Amino acid sequence: MRAGFLIAVAPLAFISVPALAGEEVRFAEAPAWVAPFDFDAAMAKKQEVVVFDRQLRLEDGVVSRYTDIAYDVRNTEVLARLGTVQFGWLPDKGDLTIHRLQILRDGKIIDLVAQGVRPEIIRRETELERRTVNGALTALFKIPGIKVGDVLRFSSTTTSRDQALAGSMQATEALTAEPTRLGFGRLRISWPESAHIAHATLGGAPQPTVTRAKGFETIEVMLPIAQPIEMPTDAPGRFQLTPAIMAGSFASWSDVAAVMAPHYRTDGAIVPGSPLAKEVARIRSATSVPLERVALALQSVQDEVNYLMNGMDGGNYLPQTPEETWTLRYGDCKAKTLLLLAMLRELGVDAEAVMVNATNGDAVSAWQPLPGAFDHVIVRAKVDGEDYWLDGTSAGARLDTLREVPNFVYALPIRADGAELVRMEQRWPTVPDRIMRITYDFTRGVDLPGLYEIDVETHGVLGAQMRARASESDPKIAIAYAQKYMEEVLDSVVYDAAFSYDPSTGTGRLKAKGILSDSFKIDQDAATFKIYTASTNWAFDPDRARAAWRNVPYKVGGPMTSAEEAVIILPEGGVGASVTGTGDLAPRTIAGTRFERSLSLDKGVVRVKDSSSFVPVEIPAADIPAEKAAMRALASADPEVKIASPRRYWELDDKEIAQRVASLREGADALVKLMPDESNYYMLRGALYTMARDYDAALSDIDRAIDIDGTALAYSTRAEILTDAGRYDEAVLAAETAYDLTGDLAHGTAYANALSVAGRPDEGLAVLDAIDVSGDDRSSLAQVFAEIAGPTGRVEEAWKMLEEVLKDRPGDELVLNSQCWFMGTWNYRVADGEQLCDKAVKAGGYSAAALDSRALLFHRLGREDDALDDLEAALRKQPEQAASLYLRGIIRLGKGQADGRKDIEHALRLSPDIAIRYQRYGISPKR
């Protein structure tokens, strides 16, 4: 049920409501009840929207809506928008009458209607993507000859008599607010005093002016109103309302309930012997337990009847019969509710239809009693004294999920003797909406990718969402769906996936395998894996700093319950592993969410079993600070796996790392086999071959990726692999192609570096000379220029470039480090370098890069012990810094320490071209 009574007022949106009789557009003078205004005064305001005047008359069961709009066509953008004007209406409820379609030009009126301009009438079901058919018609008027400088003015009236309301009337109009500016703006609503119409405001709208004259009562608000106070987006719905005026002939919610009751009678609704009667009999014979019958009836309505909103022939509030719905196998919320209601009553279950607002249920408490407060209808069943809220348009409901209370907040029972609003009290679900069972395999090491296998079990709506996926037989599509799903769970590449659905239990399942893109974070000599499960990584930080927000409560979402079972297999049998933070977590509720967790570490395997659950409740503003503090305390103690002094990948010899990467490559092999025309999977496998130091195999895959789509990324990756393989001239060609494809600074500097490594530094500098840069890019280019310039005759020029950049960026840590590094690498003014390098180290916060640069300077000065101190400090911060390992190896060998060989070996595994680069600096290991 989509009433659609809250109509937004916005420029260029001419919105009409239902009308009384026909599909032909009428042309007539404006109704006599329309109040005039001073159009010339509106023009004098010189606003783009010259006029927005909306007037309503509620009389004899008909709501007439008159709208007068005028636009100043002040530029070509407005002209393009106004080339065609649209008017919409619902012909089963009323008429569209055009009163005026005029162009004002140089003080003269061009009457387009008098000139014979007529509309094209089209039936445009704009809501089909939401499975809605309402029979709406649109009148399209093409505006001939309009040009910049004109004023286009058009006015119309639509009428609406809602067949379901038995002569009662309602209207709700949103109010245009600042900063929108209008030459003249007004909302005016009138009705006979004898009609007993009540009115009220929504969303902080100003109180209207009320007048009475000639037997009519009129309310009026001038537009635009003051801009409403912005509310926090996490506030309950009643704080989020658009300012509006409501009017209607309903004295109470009881009146609203009673007027709808005739449409939800079920006596005789199921014809004996019909297919529907046989379905009821099937359920009756299946079980004698009332709640089980409820579950089976709801399953039939959800699974066997498709959703289609039919708003034609008065259908906005009128449901089709249960027999029609079951025969047609489609229906909207009204039809499904009446069908379910008839079935339950036939099965002896106490049930009634209730109206709800599925979009903003909390807002209903702020509404004047009107049917327009609701946009949905469901069933309330009472079994063993407990309420069950049953939505026939939802999906996946089964016996174990029936207790879940949807987030509609209020319901209005539809009863012949009337009823008042009922609050839908929440309760904690007993079955998780989602259970994730995942095994992480990190046995290859803390800095190599991990593998995972996951089994996601879903129930209720989440389970039903997997139903369509389960019918997909193409493994490529299944993997694509799984990849999309896993983006919300893990940063990974899925290489195997299967969806399934069990209609008897409403359980959907995804089983997948993948390669993890991210695993351990490594800081100095420790690796940390942050455990992300149902009870971790939570935050609660509502903003209530503004004075107007300090008493605004927080609205918890939901209902949603997640459970997780995680197994984390650690590398090296868990040697050096521990768990920090809070492991076991006794059941507790923080910020409206229940948490529970158990955790263990045994024999190199961490096992976590936890859950979180939240239902729609409000947290009073006064409680928010305490809940914030409690959530911070919880999150700050999230468990992490920490491994001290882990074995790193550069410590593995070629055979061992090849063995470890081989099992990772199986997933990439499967993807390449399944999708041989997808370059990304060749890139993935090429990266894995590179990790295994199998450069020939890596190049084969990268070349295949280049054959498919030849991206700059593929060529730059090829250049990097060729450099690692020592094929420097070929690397230059690949880097050149990448630069040609993009022309950007990053690829330009990479090309220049490739030329330098290939022993062609002058050519590298020529590439940099041709790049026009400024700002931050100028700094980056200067640093690369200095890195390359040493063997050329342009050393002084490189130093001057760094000095010029530093003038614009005094104290910049990167530029200072580049100067220190320049002195060390090219043995430039080293006697004067210590002070500058000290400054660079301090500016960089004693970063590993700055310490390494100063160490090189100390090495040039023959201060090997000082150099070693800096290198040890740098490697404590970044053990993978190849330059520091290489220089430490050189110094150790110079001191006769054999372990220097291991440092150099490790550095070469990290950066295979490091030896040739240091040879350019004139630095080589002692043989």
Side-chain angles (χ1 to χ4, degrees):
M1 179 179 73
R2 299 183 67 246
F5 279 97
L6 188 58
I7 297 177
V9 178
L12 298 178
F14 189 89
I15 306 174
S16 65
V17 298
L20 184 64
E23 299 191 354
E24 296 297 323
V25 176
R26 299 180 177 186
F27 296 87
E29 296 296 321
W33 48 264
V34 170
F37 65 92
D38 188 339
F39 184 79
D40 291 337
M43 286 285 291
K45 297 286 186 65
K46 298 189 180 301
Q47 298 299 327
E48 180 179 328
V49 183
V50 180
V51 173
F52 184 89
D53 185 27
R54 177 158 284 174
Q55 303 186 42
L56 283 75
R57 173 61 64 91
L58 282 64
E59 187 174 12
D60 297 331
V62 177
V63 177
S64 300
R65 179 175 280 103
Y66 167 87
T67 307
D68 185 5
I69 298 179
Y71 287 102
D72 181 355
V73 186
R74 54 181 53 181
N75 55 50
T76 55
E77 182 180 348
V78 177
L79 179 65
R81 295 203 307 264
L82 293 175
T84 302
V85 178
Q86 303 182 20
F87 302 81
W89 82 106
L90 298 175
D92 67 304
K93 289 182 168 61
D95 296 314
L96 166 65
T97 303
I98 303 299
H99 311 303
R100 178 188 290 115
L101 187 59
Q102 300 173 340
I103 293 174
L104 283 72
R105 181 179 297 158
D106 300 328
K108 296 180 181 180
I109 294 176
I110 302 172
D111 189 337
L112 299 178
V113 173
Q115 290 184 357
V117 173
R118 292 297 183 267
E120 176 187 1
I121 308 299
I122 63 172
R123 188 177 300 277
R124 178 184 293 170
E125 296 296 351
T126 59
E127 298 286 297
L128 277 177
E129 73 281 358
R130 298 171 63 176
R131 298 188 180 184
T132 298
V133 177
N134 59 15
L137 295 181
T138 302
L140 299 177
F141 285 84
K142 294 182 179 178
I143 309 301
I146 190 169
K147 59 185 182 181
V148 173
D150 290 344
V151 171
L152 178 65
R153 186 180 183 188
F154 46 92
S155 58
S156 65
T157 297
T158 58
T159 56
S160 172
R161 179 190 296 274
D162 199 306
Q163 299 93 318
L165 300 184
S168 296
M169 297 170 288
Q170 63 172 343
T172 303
E173 290 291 325
L175 300 177
T176 300
E178 294 175 339
T180 298
R181 304 182 71 177
L182 306 172
F184 174 83
R186 173 174 62 183
L187 172 65
R188 179 183 175 91
I189 308 175
S190 62
W191 56 85
E193 291 185 74
S194 59
H196 304 294
I197 301 293
H199 69 272
T201 62
L202 270 179
Q207 290 298 320
T209 300
V210 181
T211 58
R212 294 177 179 85
K214 299 180 181 181
F216 284 85
E217 184 171 342
T218 301
I219 59 175
E220 184 174 277
V221 176
M222 302 309 295
L223 304 175
I225 64 170
Q227 186 171 9
I229 298 172
E230 182 185 3
M231 285 287 115
T233 57
D234 53 20
R238 63 187 180 276
F239 294 90
Q240 306 283 356
L241 289 165
T242 299
I245 301 290
M246 303 173 289
S249 55
F250 298 89
S252 66
W253 289 117
S254 188
D255 288 347
V256 176
V259 80
M260 293 295 177
H263 312 310
Y264 291 89
R265 293 173 181 152
T266 58
D267 296 342
I270 299 179
V271 178
S274 67
L276 177 55
K278 292 177 181 178
E279 177 66 9
V280 173
R282 181 191 69 80
I283 294 171
R284 183 183 290 111
S285 63
T287 178
S288 61
V289 179
L291 195 59
E292 292 178 0
R293 289 180 170 180
V294 170
L296 289 173
L298 181 58
Q299 181 179 347
S300 291
V301 173
Q302 288 185 349
D303 291 0
E304 301 300 327
V305 179
N306 293 316
Y307 180 82
L308 179 68
M309 160 63 186
N310 186 355
M312 303 172 68
D313 296 327
N316 212 31
Y317 286 123
L318 299 177
Q320 63 196 27
T321 69
E323 289 287 354
E324 286 179 308
T325 302
W326 190 253
T327 299
L328 296 170
R329 295 302 171 108
Y330 68 75
D332 58 13
C333 65
K334 304 180 298 295
K336 285 192 164 211
T337 288
L338 186 55
L339 171 62
L340 179 58
L341 187 62
M343 294 174 71
L344 291 176
R345 287 175 174 171
E346 191 74 11
L347 291 165
V349 176
D350 180 11
E352 63 183 349
V354 298
M355 290 191 290
V356 297
N357 188 318
T359 306
N360 187 352
D362 184 62
V364 173
S365 63
W367 271 70
Q368 168 185 344
L370 292 175
F374 307 101
D375 62 6
H376 194 42
V377 61
I378 63 173
V379 172
R380 176 170 74 166
K382 191 174 286 291
V383 180
D384 297 330
E386 191 164 14
D387 286 333
Y388 294 86
W389 306 94
L390 314 174
D391 188 348
T393 66
S394 188
R398 298 297 184 268
L399 181 64
D400 56 359
T401 61
L402 283 185
R403 294 190 77 257
E404 190 167 283
V405 180
N407 186 14
F408 301 151
V409 189
Y410 292 99
L412 180 64
I414 298 175
R415 299 173 186 166
D417 56 354
E420 295 302 316
L421 288 177
V422 173
R423 189 169 184 90
M424 300 171 64
E425 298 296 340
Q426 286 291 331
R427 54 196 171 215
W428 293 104
T430 55
V431 175
D433 297 277
R434 182 178 72 181
I435 304 171
M436 288 204 309
R437 302 175 180 92
I438 184 166
T439 298
Y440 298 94
D441 179 2
F442 293 125
T443 54
R444 288 149 205 83
V446 298
D447 45 15
L448 289 173
L451 295 175
Y452 72 89
E453 293 188 26
I454 192 167
D455 178 356
V456 183
E457 177 185 321
T458 56
H459 300 269
V461 174
L462 295 184
Q465 289 172 355
M466 285 193 180
R467 189 171 193 169
R469 304 286 185 260
S471 62
E472 182 54 63
S473 59
D474 188 336
K476 296 190 292 294
I477 296 177
I479 286 175
Y481 283 143
Q483 184 69 52
K484 184 69 175 177
Y485 188 93
M486 292 306 298
E487 286 175 3
E488 303 296 322
V489 181
L490 293 170
D491 187 8
S492 68
V493 176
V494 176
Y495 64 83
D496 185 43
F499 291 87
S500 63
Y501 183 75
D502 183 349
S504 64
T505 62
T507 301
R509 177 167 261 117
L510 164 62
K511 290 187 175 182
K513 298 177 182 178
I515 303 170
L516 289 162
S517 304
D518 194 17
S519 52
F520 283 80
K521 302 294 184 186
I522 301 173
D523 183 21
Q524 299 187 23
D525 203 23
T528 302
F529 176 70
K530 186 170 179 58
I531 298 173
Y532 289 103
T533 55
S535 64
T536 66
N537 199 38
W538 282 79
F540 178 71
D541 193 27
D543 179 6
R544 295 297 185 269
R546 302 184 193 181
W549 295 3
R550 287 176 189 162
N551 293 318
V552 177
Y554 175 89
K555 179 62 180 290
V556 179
M560 178 67 189
T561 299
S562 300
E564 189 156 345
E565 299 170 16
V567 176
I568 306 165
I569 306 172
L570 302 177
E572 313 296 338
V575 173
S578 62
V579 175
T580 62
T582 301
D584 292 344
L585 188 68
R588 66 195 63 188
T589 301
I590 300 173
T593 303
R594 282 187 173 180
F595 301 101
E596 185 173 4
R597 180 172 64 237
S598 65
L599 185 150
S600 65
L601 168 59
D602 183 46
K603 297 179 180 179
V605 178
V606 177
R607 300 180 189 275
V608 184
K609 186 174 183 179
D610 68 351
S611 65
S612 61
S613 181
F614 53 93
V615 296
V617 296
E618 289 186 14
I619 299 175
D623 295 345
I624 288 176
E627 298 297 333
K628 279 187 177 182
M631 189 67 83
R632 282 196 299 269
L634 175 74
S636 66
D638 277 352
E640 297 180 338
V641 179
K642 189 171 185 178
I643 301 178
S645 302
R647 196 175 181 200
R648 305 300 298 275
Y649 76 91
W650 61 83
E651 299 175 38
L652 308 176
D653 61 29
D654 291 354
K655 181 180 179 181
E656 188 171 3
I657 197 167
Q659 290 173 339
R660 295 195 180 198
V661 173
S663 55
L664 292 172
R665 206 175 57 245
E666 290 173 4
D669 289 342
L671 289 169
V672 167
K673 182 178 180 180
L674 184 64
M675 290 172 270
D677 295 325
E678 290 289 336
S679 63
N680 288 340
Y681 299 130
Y682 290 99
M683 295 285 288
L684 169 64
R685 192 169 67 179
L688 295 173
Y689 275 124
T690 303
M691 288 180 189
R693 305 173 197 144
D694 187 346
Y695 302 123
D696 288 339
L699 285 169
S700 177
D701 273 343
I702 299 305
D703 288 344
R704 181 70 182 108
I706 288 173
D707 289 341
I708 293 171
D709 54 19
T711 64
L713 174 61
Y715 277 104
S716 60
T717 301
R718 188 176 200 275
E720 291 167 4
I721 296 171
L722 287 166
T723 298
D724 288 346
R727 295 160 61 178
Y728 304 126
D729 290 331
E730 293 174 80
V732 167
L733 294 175
E736 181 182 17
T737 303
Y739 181 43
D740 288 343
L741 288 170
T742 65
D744 61 23
L745 177 62
H747 288 93
T749 54
Y751 176 34
N753 268 317
L755 286 164
S756 176
V757 172
R760 298 152 61 184
D762 287 298
E763 293 178 53
L765 294 183
V767 170
L768 298 180
D769 288 338
I771 300 175
D772 186 17
V773 294
S774 60
D776 290 344
D777 287 346
R778 180 167 167 263
S779 173
S780 299
L781 186 140
Q783 293 171 54
V784 176
F785 193 101
E787 170 73 16
I788 296 173
T792 73
R794 302 176 68 181
V795 173
E796 292 297 335
E797 180 184 351
W799 182 255
K800 188 173 291 187
M801 286 177 67
L802 291 174
E803 286 188 319
E804 289 297 321
V805 169
L806 196 61
K807 287 179 182 177
D808 294 334
R809 308 167 67 92
D812 185 288
E813 60 180 281
L814 295 178
V815 181
L816 286 170
N817 182 50
S818 288
Q819 287 185 316
C820 179
W821 180 248
F822 185 85
M823 288 177 154
T825 52
W826 305 123
N827 209 11
Y828 181 80
R829 300 182 187 177
V830 291
D832 303 323
E834 183 175 0
Q835 184 177 358
L836 185 147
C837 287
D838 287 346
K839 188 176 181 180
V841 168
K842 291 175 182 177
Y846 293 83
S847 67
L851 288 167
D852 180 71
S853 297
R854 189 172 67 178
L856 184 56
L857 181 85
F858 284 147
H859 173 65
R860 290 293 197 186
L861 293 170
R863 294 166 57 179
E864 305 290 53
D865 290 338
D866 289 333
L868 282 173
D869 287 343
D870 274 355
L871 292 170
E872 296 290 355
L875 289 168
R876 280 194 294 273
K877 292 175 179 290
Q878 288 189 15
E880 71 280 10
Q881 187 159 269
S884 296
L885 281 168
Y886 195 73
L887 184 57
R888 187 176 70 175
I890 289 172
I891 294 173
R892 282 178 168 179
L893 287 175
K895 288 176 171 286
Q897 299 173 6
D899 53 1
R901 290 288 174 200
K902 182 177 289 187
D903 280 344
I904 290 172
E905 182 180 40
H906 289 172
L908 287 167
R909 289 172 180 170
L910 284 162
S911 179
D913 68 326
I914 196 167
I916 195 169
R917 287 195 285 113
Y918 272 70
Q919 285 175 16
R920 286 169 37 226
Y921 308 152
I923 301 173
S924 297
K926 182 179 179 180
R927 298 191 181 277

